[in-house]
Amino acid sequence: MASQSSSCFLCNGKVYKHKKRETPTLEGPSELRSICVYPTKENLTPVLGLLQKLGIKQVVSVGSGECFLEGLMEQECPDLNITCVDLDIFPAFPHLYNTFHTYNNSGEIIRLPTGGVLDLKKYFQSGDGEDDPEDIFRLDAEVQRDVDWLSVALLFCFGKRIPFQSYIDQVSEISTIIIIGDVRDEHCSTCITSPAAYSLASNRDWTIVLDVPCRATLEDTRLIVYRRKAVSNVQ
């Protein structure tokens, strides 16, 4: 994903269909070279249980890569609707995405231009794209849908220079953030992920409601669920 800076801008992105890989399993992918996070059942069960308890029905995964984790979550929790978002690495050659493989059920990923941040309000409030499946946003839609933002969570899994703050500042009503990443401070020269797992740990507006290890290529990777303190009593 693009680096976080003043050049970030809200956009709708484009939806691209990818080839569907085999159904992911908790044993891990058969090919690990491009998969950074492959949780065990012990890693994943607590977070899925918590999301259900909090009434989370929609997850937006920013920096989803090949969507292995997202496909695993869909398999283990079929009622959870997951939107996958990543960088558009072939803006001039979109046909190449037909050769890319993903693990999520739909095979779809919203691709954003460099510096782009998915406009969450337009994504959730605009039409459903029944007239044009390629344009699920329909930014000119006359009808704006009501959104239960408390049922929406943002997921950042092993992110690399994601414009994290631009996402969490967009909609103050979104009250659940999931980060899987490095336990070191992201400003440290040896930190691998951005955001780092504990990026919100010192933020007075957020509280940690789940902190568990997560199997990944990086040792000591943590899976952290944050909740806005204003609604943290809903557990």
Side-chain angles (χ1 to χ4, degrees):
M1 293 298 295
S3 58
Q4 182 170 336
S5 70
S6 58
S7 62
C8 292
F9 58 93
L10 297 180
C11 65
N12 57 317
K14 294 182 180 179
V15 180
Y16 290 104
K17 191 81 172 180
H18 304 67
K19 286 186 176 180
K20 179 73 170 63
R21 282 195 185 276
E22 71 274 12
T23 302
T25 71
L26 287 166
E27 298 305 315
S30 58
E31 177 56 74
L32 296 179
R33 284 182 298 178
S34 58
I35 305 299
C36 295
V37 175
Y38 43 104
T40 65
K41 188 175 185 64
E42 290 73 21
N43 300 155
L44 198 58
T45 297
V47 67
L48 293 178
L50 178 59
L51 294 182
Q52 184 176 26
K53 190 174 182 179
L54 295 175
I56 301 299
K57 302 183 185 305
Q58 172 78 43
V59 174
V60 178
S61 177
V62 182
S64 57
E66 294 186 44
C67 311
F68 179 81
L69 173 67
E70 294 78 5
L72 198 57
M73 293 172 69
E74 289 173 332
Q75 180 181 327
E76 295 295 310
C77 191
D79 293 333
L80 196 60
N81 187 13
I82 302 179
T83 298
C84 297
V85 181
D86 214 316
L87 188 66
D88 188 351
I89 57 176
F90 295 120
F93 306 98
H95 63 280
L96 291 178
Y97 288 121
N98 294 328
T99 67
F100 272 48
H101 292 78
T102 62
Y103 291 91
N104 58 329
N105 289 339
S106 68
E108 294 180 348
I109 297 177
I110 300 174
R111 297 283 180 177
L112 305 177
T114 299
V117 175
L118 180 64
D119 190 322
L120 297 170
K121 288 188 176 181
K122 285 183 177 178
Y123 173 67
F124 282 104
Q125 293 177 340
S126 60
D128 57 13
E130 291 180 354
D131 297 332
D132 182 1
E134 295 297 318
D135 181 12
I136 63 173
F137 304 98
R138 290 175 55 203
L139 301 181
D140 58 349
E142 296 179 359
V143 179
Q144 297 294 304
R145 297 178 295 177
D146 291 331
V147 180
D148 177 13
W149 293 109
L150 290 178
S151 70
V152 178
L154 298 180
L155 168 63
F156 302 90
C157 177
F158 232 74
K160 301 292 179 64
R161 301 178 299 281
I162 288 175
F164 177 61
Q165 200 65 40
S166 297
Y167 277 98
I168 66 174
D169 288 346
Q170 262 196 74
V171 184
S172 60
E173 295 88 351
I174 292 180
S175 299
T176 304
I177 303 290
I178 308 162
I179 303 178
I180 302 175
D182 199 332
V183 298
R184 290 165 288 190
D185 186 281
E186 63 188 67
H187 299 295
C188 174
S189 60
T190 59
C191 184
I192 302 298
T193 67
S194 178
Y198 292 113
S199 288
L200 291 176
S202 60
N203 189 311
R204 62 184 180 182
D205 294 328
W206 297 86
T207 187
I208 295 175
V209 292
L210 183 68
D211 182 346
V212 295
C214 186
R215 185 173 60 177
T217 55
L218 179 66
E219 189 177 359
D220 295 330
T221 296
R222 305 294 294 185
L223 188 160
I224 314 293
V225 180
Y226 295 90
R227 191 78 165 159
R228 285 194 194 269
K229 289 184 178 179
V231 295
S232 62
N233 58 325
V234 186
Q235 298 183 31

